[in-house]
Amino acid sequence: MAAPKAQRIADKLETPLLDDRSYRVICLPNKLEVLLVHELDTDKASVALDVNVGSFSDPDDMPGMAHAFPEENDFRQFLTLHSGDYNAYTDWTSTNYHLELAASPATAAPAGESEMSPGDSAGVRAEESPLYGALDRFAQFFIAPLFLASTLDRELKAVDSENKKNLQSDTWRQTQLSMSLSNPKHPYCHFSTGNLETLHDKPLERGIEIRSEFIKFYERHYSANRMKMAVLGRESLDELESWVVELFSAVRNKDLPQNRWDDEQPLTKNELLTQYVSKPVMDIRELEIVFPFLDEEDLYESPPGRYLSHLIGHEGPGSILSCIKSKGWANGLYAGPGPICPGAAFFTITIFLTDEGLKQCQEIVKVVFQYISLLQETPPQAWIVEEMKGIAEVDFRFRQKTAASGFTSWVSAVMQRPVPREWLLSASSLIRKFDPESITNALTHLRPDNFRMAIVSQALSEGLDRKERWYGTEYRCEPIPEDFLAELRRGGSRLPDLYLPSKNEFIPTKLDVERKEVKEPLKAPRIIRNDESARIWWKKDDRFWVPKGNICLTLRSPLVYATAETAVKTRLYCELVKDALVEYSYDADIAGLYYGLGYHADGLDVEVEGYNDKMPVLLEKVVLCMRDLEVKPDRFKVVKERLLREYRNWDFQQPYQQVQEHARLLSVEKSWANDQRLAELVHVVEEDIRQFYPQLLRQVHIEAIAHGNLYRDDALGLTQLVESILKPRALPQSLWIIHRGLILPSGSDYLYQTTLKDAADVNNCVGYYLFVGGWADRMLRAKTFLFAQTTDEPVFDQLRTKEQLGYMIWSGLHTQSTRIGYYVLVQSEKKPEVLEARIDAFLDDFGARLEQMSNEELETHKRSLVNAWQAKLKNLGQETNRFRNHICSNYLDFEQVESDVACLNAVSKADLAEFYEEHIRPGSQGRAKLSVHALAQSKAAAVAVPKEVDSAKIETVIPDGETVVHTVPSPVDALADPAKAEPIISDGETVGNTALPSVDVTQQPGEPNGDVPGKVVKVIQNAHEFRASLAATAGALPVRPLSDFEDFGTQGSAETNGA
């Protein structure tokens, strides 16, 4: 029998200028369409498959079914051993499965060497290729899914845990409320995520056999002709094609039509011209105006929604936001189209209100309709479309690569759209023509008789007489008053503050890049100036060759973090500067040039990134505004109000976010808790800021990083520009902040407990942190990384998949300042003591697993780590961040990967076992532990505590949905960016803006620890006294002298990287 052959659809795609990939679109005999992507030197392979079936296809009596499809294979373990990851998401009309893993076999290689050179990829046999192995396993789910009862049951519980995680999320609550109040005959009204009630309990009550329903759903909706797939690898296009044809041709084609719902619209006359008011969990204030809009699926050459979004969502002079912001009514605005399903779409305008704006909702809506009237009376402007078209062309031309799985997931979803296959990469980006008729037609949908309003605020909670079924959101819904609608129809005289934007002066025109061939890109930037006033790090891009640059300046000042009061004043100052720059910087933003202003313990951060052509212009304006800020009473009031809400909302974050921040605050010498900041902010007045910020800028040391399409003179000139504007005194090195992590004593066992303030949250959370030692100890660091790698998949498999403890479960490396450790985090409706006991049991049992681990398996784990550490940089920003992490950490360990690989290769199984015995095993006398418990006030519905399971009898499962999978990070990223090692650590702009309230616990110090005879759990009663009782690590010191990086060559614009 002849092997099946694929049909060639396209061999050449429209690509960015520097795209070195090759592409081919094929269609298998079963009508499964596939985009093949060959990238010769990629270190990551990826596969994504998008199925045209989502939550709109759920049965009415089993909502959430599309979201709850289980996997029945050894995927997760296979991917972990190949530095891989897997995820999936379900939206309204599609389910997207995507994975990535090492592009080459995880075979041993000497320290510092890549596992395989690009040219060797063709010589790898299919059975040795990680990508082939992943494709083989991946295909089976779509060819012959087993739907085993045990795996399905666990997946339904995972979906339920995910739903419980989202119950107090305002984003999920408001989205579902909008859906629940829509046309009941359209599937938009569905409960899209599902829970145990809809997928298990109620069906059982009706006598439904659940497994058979999932099989029926699969048979009804899953068909090869509804599937779009993208595969990226090192292998040639011919090789990739042969694999896909071999492995996926067996997916059954049922010739199902595209899922469409043309008979009904989400909003009909019954839902339009209504307004609903709802009470959020957090203190937020939003006004939303939703118009049913045209479906732009076939208008990809010139989508009119982009024109309307550009103008209605503009933030410059003459815009809606400029007008209502000047009146003190709003902080921000978003506008744009959003597809719902084929044949249906919304155009949504969301306005973020101030206190005063909440009282003026009708006046704001009038302003919105006056601006829409302006657009309807003004013919579509060709110059505006040409400007948008030019910006889009430049952005697409110089688009840089992203993560492999992000690319395949995105492009497989694009393939569901009816765009020419040659335009798969460009259709979402480029505007190809000016189409005034489609713009005029689109504007006809933005009418006073074709919209719905929503207001979200805690201040309007009176009279809320209804509760949304699935999330319990309190709301009321009523017709929009007829007299107000009549005013909108009449229009009235237009405000003079509303007019079309001017031409954008920030559009880049100089896009030249001097490209020089280099044997190997430089691993570290050079120091081209180092004196008492400034230190400048610079590297001319020698890797990506785009006309972009990044300039990052830290203005060191101990005043920023001296007290909670100065930290709050600094934050207010930064927010006021950004508020003052909104109109000016918006044109730069849409032209691809961005700025940032934030603060952290070391000082202020000023950043400009994007096309380097106009970079000095934007930087000058930002620094001038910093120097000459006018603190206006009305804007101060608005900004302070917004910051007060942010601080008060901190207690309503997800429990796991609060636990992570508590652990951070307990691990550093100096940090200001959220309640301390809130207490200070209440008393700050505008005069305080006027007096404070000149002191803040008076004496600083500038640490600059200039990277990209910037020459030596550019780097020096940009820094000198800042100096010439601010004219600061030099800050001596003796006043620079020294960062030290706190050391948990050997044998210690601390417990910190806090009760969640959100009374409706049913989730508890446990953060289980084991202190290991100082970051500077390379061998200890290598052992910690390796142990985290070996437990990554088993933690997930045991605690989530088998024991069903919860949806949010992570483990891995824990870094804080100069210290390193290991952690496990579980968020669950189960009690913290149950969660802690199960973590203890897992770690205790892992000793036997470690003992049984073969040397071959250990080497595979090492190779997986090395693959992750040696991951290729995808774009300029990633390399800038890597440099910045090394510099800000003060270790300056730019060749850390090579050193860590050498240390890792020297770690034996005996070394790892010794590490486990000393630092990890619950019974160890030397282990140092801090456990943070977040206690829910509310209780979830009764959930069965899982019975002890025999892991040998349980199939491995990969739960569906938006799974959060913690992967062991690169030591480069973990070095100075703890968010890479442990999720949700405050960013530079808001670092420390979190709470560590006083502890009121009933449990007393001295309670015995059942795991270790004679050992007691010490309950932390006072966070300040706890920190004071601990010793600190040494501060971070450079691993190499600064002189190794200095290059004070003669200035000259043609000089690159000191060459």
Side-chain angles (χ1 to χ4, degrees):
M1 180 178 177
K5 291 185 178 181
Q7 177 189 359
R8 299 279 177 88
I9 305 298
D11 277 312
K12 188 173 179 59
L13 272 60
E14 189 172 32
T15 62
L17 178 66
L18 300 173
D19 192 339
D20 58 358
R21 296 165 172 163
S22 51
Y23 300 88
R24 179 184 297 167
V25 182
I26 63 173
C27 187
L28 304 187
N30 58 2
K31 298 186 181 180
L32 195 161
E33 191 177 20
V34 186
L35 171 65
L36 306 171
V37 186
H38 164 63
E39 184 177 348
L40 183 63
D41 61 350
T42 184
D43 57 340
K44 288 287 188 180
S46 180
V47 186
L49 192 148
D50 193 278
V51 189
N52 174 220
V53 57
S55 61
F56 280 8
S57 299
D58 288 341
D60 290 340
D61 58 354
M62 288 187 71
M65 180 172 280
H67 179 220
F69 265 48
E71 302 284 345
E72 305 98 350
N73 51 35
D74 62 347
F75 234 2
R76 188 167 302 281
Q77 184 177 9
F78 178 85
L79 292 174
T80 298
L81 291 175
H82 292 282
S83 307
D85 195 8
Y86 165 85
N87 212 332
Y89 68 83
T90 301
D91 66 18
W92 292 321
T93 61
S94 284
T95 301
N96 190 285
Y97 305 87
H98 47 276
L99 64 98
E100 74 173 33
L101 73 170
S104 56
T107 53
E113 291 187 12
S114 177
E115 71 284 354
M116 183 175 67
S117 65
D120 292 337
S121 59
V124 176
R125 297 194 306 271
E127 60 270 22
E128 295 177 347
S129 166
L131 176 57
Y132 183 88
L135 286 168
D136 190 13
R137 291 164 171 80
F138 192 47
Q140 293 311 304
F141 174 61
F142 304 101
I143 295 170
L146 300 177
F147 292 105
L148 297 177
S150 57
T151 57
L152 181 59
D153 182 64
R154 290 198 298 268
E155 175 59 10
L156 296 184
K157 290 176 181 176
V159 167
D160 190 64
S161 291
E162 180 183 7
N163 178 66
K164 287 187 171 69
K165 170 187 74 72
N166 297 329
L167 287 177
Q168 294 302 103
S169 164
D170 282 316
T171 299
W172 285 95
R173 292 165 71 90
Q174 293 303 320
T175 299
Q176 186 60 54
L177 180 58
S178 171
M179 294 165 66
S180 295
L181 294 177
S182 67
N183 177 10
K185 296 180 181 179
H186 192 280
Y188 182 69
C189 72
H190 282 176
F191 172 41
S192 59
T193 60
N195 59 22
L196 210 56
E197 175 191 348
T198 66
L199 295 171
H200 181 270
D201 299 346
K202 293 296 184 182
L204 286 182
E205 289 177 7
R206 298 193 299 269
I208 291 175
E209 207 281 304
I210 295 171
R211 178 174 177 270
S212 65
E213 289 301 308
F214 274 85
I215 294 173
K216 290 177 187 176
F217 185 90
Y218 173 86
E219 293 294 336
R220 187 182 308 123
H221 293 291
Y222 274 59
S223 173
N225 73 304
R226 281 184 172 178
M227 297 177 183
K228 309 296 180 184
M229 185 174 173
V231 181
L232 184 154
R234 281 184 170 185
E235 294 76 11
S236 68
L237 292 176
D238 289 342
E239 184 84 354
L240 293 174
E241 180 174 334
S242 69
W243 290 356
V244 169
V245 170
E246 172 196 349
L247 299 171
F248 283 84
S249 292
V251 178
R252 191 147 57 101
N253 175 31
K254 304 164 190 172
D255 276 323
L256 299 178
Q258 181 194 35
N259 271 316
R260 300 187 66 91
W261 296 267
D262 294 322
D263 296 337
E264 295 285 345
Q265 285 291 313
L267 298 181
T268 67
K269 62 180 182 180
N270 296 323
E271 294 80 36
L272 293 171
L273 303 185
T274 62
Q275 61 185 17
Y276 61 89
V277 179
S278 63
K279 180 180 179 181
V281 174
M282 290 192 176
D283 187 5
I284 57 177
R285 298 172 175 87
E286 294 178 3
L287 167 64
E288 185 176 84
I289 305 169
V290 177
F291 301 89
F293 197 60
L294 57 85
D295 179 9
E296 297 182 286
E297 190 172 66
D298 295 321
L299 301 175
Y300 47 81
E301 291 191 75
S302 184
R306 286 178 67 173
Y307 180 88
L308 300 184
S309 176
H310 173 71
L311 295 175
I312 296 174
H314 209 280
E315 298 180 8
S319 66
I320 296 172
L321 179 62
S322 177
C323 176
I324 59 180
K325 185 180 171 185
S326 69
K327 300 176 184 296
W329 295 347
N331 290 309
L333 180 149
Y334 163 80
I340 303 300
C341 61
F346 291 159
F347 191 95
T348 303
I349 303 171
T350 303
I351 298 159
F352 306 99
L353 303 170
T354 63
D355 281 346
E356 185 60 29
L358 188 61
K359 304 172 187 175
Q360 303 292 340
C361 285
Q362 289 193 355
E363 295 303 311
I364 292 171
V365 174
K366 290 179 187 177
V367 173
V368 169
F369 275 98
Q370 284 197 27
Y371 194 88
I372 292 171
S373 176
L374 168 67
L375 298 182
Q376 291 169 336
E377 295 169 11
T378 306
Q381 300 294 295
W383 73 266
I384 293 178
V385 174
E386 283 302 311
E387 190 175 88
M388 295 171 61
K389 182 172 177 284
I391 293 172
E393 287 171 352
V394 170
D395 282 346
F396 180 72
R397 180 183 176 192
F398 295 106
R399 180 191 290 174
Q400 299 178 77
K401 292 176 183 176
T402 55
S405 63
F407 169 75
T408 57
S409 175
W410 166 76
V411 77
S412 62
V414 172
M415 293 172 72
Q416 295 285 4
R417 296 165 51 192
V419 300
R421 275 19 203 165
E422 292 80 7
W423 293 355
L424 282 176
L425 306 183
S426 59
S428 302
S429 303
L430 298 182
I431 299 173
R432 300 179 188 275
K433 63 181 181 180
F434 174 50
D435 186 353
E437 290 78 15
S438 69
I439 294 173
T440 302
N441 179 41
L443 275 166
T444 64
H445 291 76
L446 309 188
R447 308 187 311 269
D449 65 345
N450 188 50
F451 77 102
R452 179 168 78 171
M453 277 175 56
I455 303 172
V456 183
S457 173
Q458 292 182 345
L460 301 178
S461 57
E462 290 188 12
L464 305 185
D465 55 354
R466 305 186 195 178
K467 278 192 176 184
E468 194 276 324
R469 176 181 178 184
W470 302 109
Y471 288 82
T473 305
E474 297 178 60
Y475 73 98
R476 70 172 184 269
C477 185
E478 59 204 12
I480 297 174
E482 180 53 40
D483 57 342
F484 175 55
L485 291 174
E487 279 191 77
L488 296 181
R489 290 192 292 268
R490 286 195 299 270
S493 59
R494 184 172 305 124
L495 293 168
D497 296 338
L498 298 176
Y499 48 88
L500 296 181
S502 302
K503 291 189 176 182
N504 191 337
E505 301 299 328
F506 277 100
I507 296 175
T509 56
K510 298 178 182 178
L511 299 169
D512 298 329
V513 178
E514 182 185 8
R515 182 164 185 166
K516 292 186 176 181
E517 293 303 322
V518 294
K519 291 183 179 179
E520 184 180 0
L522 289 179
K523 294 181 180 178
R526 313 304 296 169
I527 296 175
I528 58 174
R529 176 183 165 190
N530 189 14
D531 54 42
E532 63 178 5
S533 298
R535 181 163 67 200
I536 304 175
W537 298 83
W538 164 72
K539 181 189 172 185
K540 175 72 169 66
D541 176 38
D542 56 4
R543 192 188 296 265
F544 302 103
W545 314 111
V546 290
K548 296 182 178 183
N550 300 317
I551 178 77
C552 311
L553 302 114
T554 295
L555 310 183
R556 278 200 181 89
S557 171
L559 186 59
V560 166
Y561 224 61
T563 65
E565 180 187 12
T566 61
V568 167
K569 288 179 179 177
T570 302
R571 175 73 191 283
L572 262 175
Y573 165 66
C574 291
E575 294 302 318
L576 286 164
V577 170
K578 290 188 287 187
D579 184 74
L581 286 168
V582 166
E583 290 191 6
Y584 179 85
S585 65
Y586 186 73
D587 275 350
D589 188 81
I590 59 178
L593 185 60
Y594 317 97
Y595 88 95
L597 176 63
Y599 80 104
H600 48 77
D602 288 318
L604 291 171
D605 274 347
V606 185
E607 306 171 25
V608 178
E609 62 179 53
Y611 296 104
N612 56 279
D613 181 18
K614 306 291 197 308
M615 182 175 282
V617 179
L618 181 58
L619 179 62
E620 180 179 25
K621 181 67 174 181
V622 170
V623 180
L624 282 169
C625 186
M626 291 173 64
R627 185 193 69 184
D628 302 329
L629 176 68
E630 180 185 355
V631 183
K632 300 178 180 179
D634 57 336
R635 296 313 301 168
F636 175 85
K637 179 183 177 182
V638 168
V639 171
K640 178 181 175 181
E641 168 205 309
R642 187 173 68 214
L643 193 53
L644 280 168
R645 289 206 306 271
E646 179 185 311
Y647 286 172
R648 289 168 179 156
N649 284 337
W650 188 90
D651 292 311
F652 296 87
Q653 294 181 100
Q654 286 280 344
Y656 75 87
Q657 294 174 295
Q658 299 186 45
V659 162
Q660 288 170 331
E661 187 58 18
H662 289 316
R664 188 190 72 82
L665 291 166
L666 291 166
S667 302
V668 295
E669 283 188 300
K670 185 178 182 180
S671 193
W672 307 116
N674 190 74
D675 55 351
Q676 294 172 300
R677 293 166 184 264
L678 182 57
E680 295 294 340
L681 178 58
V682 170
H683 301 290
V684 178
V685 297
E686 59 256 36
E687 186 59 31
D688 294 330
I689 304 302
R690 293 192 189 100
Q691 295 179 9
F692 173 73
Y693 83 80
Q695 300 175 33
L696 185 64
L697 302 176
R698 185 170 297 145
Q699 186 178 28
V700 301
H701 175 270
I702 300 174
E703 181 103 55
I705 306 169
H707 177 223
N709 192 35
L710 302 168
Y711 291 98
R712 179 189 291 265
D713 278 357
D714 296 327
L716 293 167
L718 289 169
T719 308
Q720 289 165 358
L721 173 66
V722 174
E723 288 181 291
S724 66
I725 294 172
L726 298 181
K727 296 181 174 62
R729 290 170 48 212
L731 181 75
Q733 191 173 18
S734 59
L735 295 179
W736 296 8
I737 300 295
I738 299 174
H739 296 281
R740 305 174 190 270
L742 298 177
I743 300 171
L744 292 182
S746 176
S748 60
D749 194 345
Y750 291 102
L751 171 63
Y752 179 87
Q753 293 179 310
T754 182
T755 299
L756 297 171
K757 291 187 179 179
D758 185 354
D761 199 323
V762 301
N763 295 292
N764 300 290
C765 186
V766 167
Y768 188 108
Y769 298 88
L770 301 177
F771 172 77
V772 170
W775 174 268
D777 187 332
R778 292 187 186 276
M779 283 302 299
L780 191 61
R781 193 165 73 212
K783 293 173 188 175
T784 310
F785 269 111
L786 184 55
F787 182 79
Q789 163 68 20
T790 61
T791 60
D792 180 51
E793 186 274 334
V795 164
F796 190 94
D797 179 60
Q798 183 64 35
L799 300 185
R800 176 173 161 169
T801 303
K802 292 173 181 167
E803 297 191 26
Q804 289 290 309
L805 294 184
Y807 181 74
M808 309 296 286
I809 295 179
W810 295 306
S811 68
L813 188 77
H814 173 62
T815 62
Q816 190 62 58
S817 189
T818 52
R819 45 179 268 164
I820 191 170
Y822 174 81
Y823 84 107
V824 180
L825 186 144
V826 180
Q827 178 172 303
S828 169
E829 61 270 25
K830 297 178 176 62
K831 294 181 178 180
E833 52 267 32
V834 173
L835 302 179
E836 177 128 0
R838 298 316 305 157
I839 297 171
D840 275 336
F842 169 81
L843 292 177
D844 205 29
D845 293 343
F846 193 77
R849 183 167 183 158
L850 191 60
E851 185 177 344
Q852 296 166 9
M853 186 179 295
S854 67
N855 287 327
E856 181 181 4
E857 183 180 352
L858 185 64
E859 289 303 314
T860 302
H861 280 299
K862 288 184 185 181
R863 208 50 236 158
S864 184
L865 262 182
V866 172
N867 285 341
W869 293 349
Q870 294 177 340
K872 286 172 61 69
L873 294 163
K874 300 294 188 296
N875 52 61
L876 186 72
Q878 286 186 356
E879 187 171 37
T880 301
N881 289 335
R882 178 170 290 187
F883 291 155
R884 189 174 182 183
N885 286 344
H886 286 305
I887 292 167
C888 292
S889 73
N890 204 43
Y891 286 111
L892 308 184
D893 197 0
F894 297 102
E895 297 181 359
Q896 179 186 324
V897 168
E898 290 80 359
S899 301
D900 282 359
V901 169
C903 291
L904 181 67
N905 284 342
V907 177
S908 67
K909 180 180 172 182
D911 293 332
L912 195 60
E914 182 182 0
F915 171 88
Y916 165 81
E917 284 294 326
E918 181 178 357
H919 297 289
I920 306 296
R921 186 173 64 84
S924 169
Q925 291 289 347
R927 192 176 76 148
K929 175 185 161 220
L930 166 66
S931 192
V932 180
H933 291 185
L935 309 172
Q937 297 184 49
S938 182
K939 293 183 179 180
V943 178
V945 177
K947 299 177 182 179
E948 292 300 319
V949 291
D950 180 357
S951 60
K953 297 180 180 178
I954 300 297
E955 303 83 1
T956 303
V957 62
I958 306 295
D960 187 0
E962 296 180 48
T963 305
V964 179
V965 181
H966 179 81
T967 55
V968 179
S970 159
V972 172
D973 293 328
L975 172 63
D977 186 359
K980 303 289 186 184
E982 180 190 359
I984 320 299
I985 296 297
S986 300
D987 58 33
E989 191 168 301
T990 60
V991 63
N993 294 344
T994 45
L996 191 64
S998 56
V999 187
D1000 181 16
V1001 296
T1002 56
Q1003 190 177 9
Q1004 297 300 315
E1007 183 169 330
N1009 181 328
D1011 294 313
V1012 185
K1015 199 173 183 181
V1016 296
V1017 176
K1018 296 182 179 179
V1019 179
I1020 300 170
Q1021 301 285 352
N1022 183 293
H1024 177 75
E1025 291 179 1
F1026 168 73
R1027 288 194 297 236
S1029 71
L1030 302 180
T1033 66
L1037 293 172
V1039 299
R1040 292 169 57 187
L1042 285 175
S1043 58
D1044 285 2
F1045 305 102
E1046 291 177 343
D1047 179 2
F1048 304 133
T1050 57
Q1051 296 183 23
S1053 60
E1055 188 179 1
T1056 59
N1057 292 336

